[in-house]
C-alpha cells in the first residue's frame, strides 16, 4: 500500500483499495512485521477484513544466520497464510 517507505495512502487511494477489497472479496490484509499499519487498520475498519503480519525474512532477528533461521521464518509465514485463508 505504501508507494515508498513511510508514506501513507491518500484518501483517493484508500477509497480505491477499499473498493478492490470489496469487489474481489479479499479475505485478509497483510502487513510486514514491525511495519506501519495505519492504512491497513483503516481498510480493516471500512471492510472488516482481518490483518495479518508477514516477516520479510530479510534479517535473522537475533538468531544464528543461515538456512535454519530462514526456514523457521518461512514456516511462520506459511502458518500465517494458512490462518488467513482458513
Amino acid at each position: 500500500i505504501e508507494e515508498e517507505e513511510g508514506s501513507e495512502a491518500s484518501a483517493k487511494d484508500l477509497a480505491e483499495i477499499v473498493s478492490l477489497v470489496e469487489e474481489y472479496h479479499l479475505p485478509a490484509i497483510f502487513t510486514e512485521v514491525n511495519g506501519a499499519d495505519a492504512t491497513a487498520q483503516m481498510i480493516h475498519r471500512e471492510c472488516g477484513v482481518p490483518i495479518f503480519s508477514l516477516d520479510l525474512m530479510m534479517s535473522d532477528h537475533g538468531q544464528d544466520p543461515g538456512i535454519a533461521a530462514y526456514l523457521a521464518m518461512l514456516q511462520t509465514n506459511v502458518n500465517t497464510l494458512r490462518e488467513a485463508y482458513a
Side-chain angles (χ1 to χ4, degrees):
I1 296 174
E2 292 180 352
E3 288 189 30
E4 57 186 60
E5 186 176 348
S7 70
E8 292 190 25
S10 68
K12 179 182 174 187
D13 292 336
L14 281 171
E16 183 178 338
I17 293 165
V18 166
S19 175
L20 290 170
V21 168
E22 292 171 343
E23 178 181 350
Y24 291 102
H25 307 286
L26 299 180
I29 299 168
F30 295 95
T31 62
E32 63 183 83
V33 171
N34 299 323
D37 71 346
T39 302
Q41 291 293 337
M42 187 172 294
I43 295 167
H44 167 74
R45 285 191 298 274
E46 290 290 321
C47 302
V49 177
I51 300 169
F52 295 88
S53 295
L54 296 173
D55 195 316
L56 292 181
M57 301 178 3
M58 297 175 69
S59 70
D60 60 27
H61 300 287
Q63 300 174 0
D64 292 330
I67 191 70
Y70 175 82
L71 291 175
M73 286 185 275
L74 181 61
Q75 185 63 56
T76 298
N77 281 347
V78 168
N79 292 342
T80 299
L81 292 169
R82 283 185 180 155
E83 181 183 350
Y85 290 99

